[in-house]
Amino acid sequence: MAITMEQLLATLKATGEETRLRILALFKNGELTVTELVSVLRQSQPRISRHLRLLCEAGLLERHREGTWIFYRLAYGSEQAKLIKSIMNFCPYDDQILQHDQERLVEVKRERDKKAAEYFEENAKNWDKIRSSYVPEKQVEDFLLEEIKGKKIDDLLDVGTGTGRMLELFSSYTKHGIGIDLSREMLAIARSHLEQNDIDHMHVRQGDMYDLALSDHSIDLVIFHQVLHFADDPLAAIKETARILRNDGCVIIVDFLPHKIEKLREEYAHRRLGFSNSEVSEWCVATDLKITKTEVMKGRELDIGIWIAHKNQKSI
Ligand SMILES: C[S@@+](CC[C@H](N)C(=O)[O-])C[C@H]1O[C@@H](n2cnc3c(N)ncnc32)[C@H](O)[C@@H]1O
């Protein structure tokens, strides 16, 4: 459907103001909260909130509330979303003001990542215990093994491998596996687990889920087990995953369903309070993956979602 005159005018009006254009330029990658935008733009919260409201009303940004945090991101899928994407292609990102904003955004993100990294550094030794207190582990793991039964997995990637539990679990069914993680402390534990269990066809290395440093079409199965709720930009991570998946390759996402346990942000460095089916579906639609199965598992305090998606719609 073509854009209406009214929508076009609303988009141009909303975009045609310096602060709002600066805000839109900051959404090049991922989602941001009001607090983060305030830190980058150094304007008052009510002012930024007013601009955000206007951008949402014009259909250029979308917002979702999770507990006390509200996340904003560029609209997706609508005619206005397509229009704003095209307009932003003309944005002079080398302009001094915009460049300065990008630099401050990098700082704000670095500060946030530092907190998460410190959390994993401090908690690497206790991670297996922490995970099992929130996740019905046995049930999830039995389900995953049942899913891959009889399937040929030459190359597996475990993203955010932590202490390497998924590498151990899948080791008997995989020819070769890699686990990547940002945290050296987590990787050190993963390495020693693999060694203790004589698993020498699964390796770990430091790596970033947004830039996997792997060739296109090189992996059959990618696992995100309890990782994406730490991510700034889950869609970008799924995009990078779709790139390295072979045709018919599979991605398994295990994460919390939406919840309200706010303390997980402060105490456990979670960025997101779980994900809904529709959000995971949006990532998959945007990256040409097709969800072939979803499963819900009841935990003691939190429910777990398992999403299985394939590239090019067939099964592995
Ligand atoms: C909650 S732990 C999960 C570990 C493991 N998958 C498990 O289920 O036990 C999340 C892991 O993601 C890692 N991580 C966070 N951001 C990352 C990124 N951008 N790239 C790679 N790993 C990341 C953290 O260092 C941490 O070890």
Side-chain angles (χ1 to χ4, degrees), residues 170-183:
F170 284 94
S171 61
S172 311
Y173 308 91
T174 308
K175 260 197 194 159
H176 175 254
I178 320 166
I180 63 126
D181 204 289
L182 282 181
S183 162

Side-chain angles (χ1 to χ4, degrees), residues 38 40 47 65 78 123 141 145 152 170 190 208 218 227 231:
V38 167
V40 172
R47 228 182 132 161
R65 177 182 278 282
S78 65
N123 290 285
E141 293 186 358
L145 290 184
K152 183 172 162 283
F170 284 94
D208 189 342
S218 56
V227 172

Side-chain angles (χ1 to χ4, degrees), residues 120 127 131 160-162 181-183 186 207-209 225-226 230:
F120 287 116
W127 173 250
R131 183 190 50 228
T161 193
D181 204 289
L182 282 181
S183 162
M186 285 290 205
D208 189 342
M209 66 173 122
H225 187 261
Q226 296 297 346
F230 293 101

Side-chain angles (χ1 to χ4, degrees), residues 23-24 27 30-34 37 49 51-66 69-82 84 235 271-272 276 278-279 281-283 286:
I23 291 177
L24 288 166
F27 282 97
E31 305 177 323
L32 295 168
T33 63
V34 186
L37 287 164
S49 296
H51 286 306
L52 288 170
R53 199 181 57 241
L54 236 142
L55 290 167
C56 288
E57 281 167 6
L60 309 186
L61 289 185
E62 289 170 358
R63 50 174 263 157
H64 67 271
R65 177 182 278 282
E66 269 186 18
W69 288 15
I70 301 177
F71 289 89
Y72 292 85
R73 63 173 182 189
L74 274 188
Y76 174 78
S78 65
E79 293 304 311
Q80 287 106 310
K82 287 181 206 152
I84 193 61
L235 173 60
R271 177 156 172 86
R272 298 290 313 276
S276 62
S278 59
E279 189 165 9
S281 297
E282 277 175 27
W283 305 334

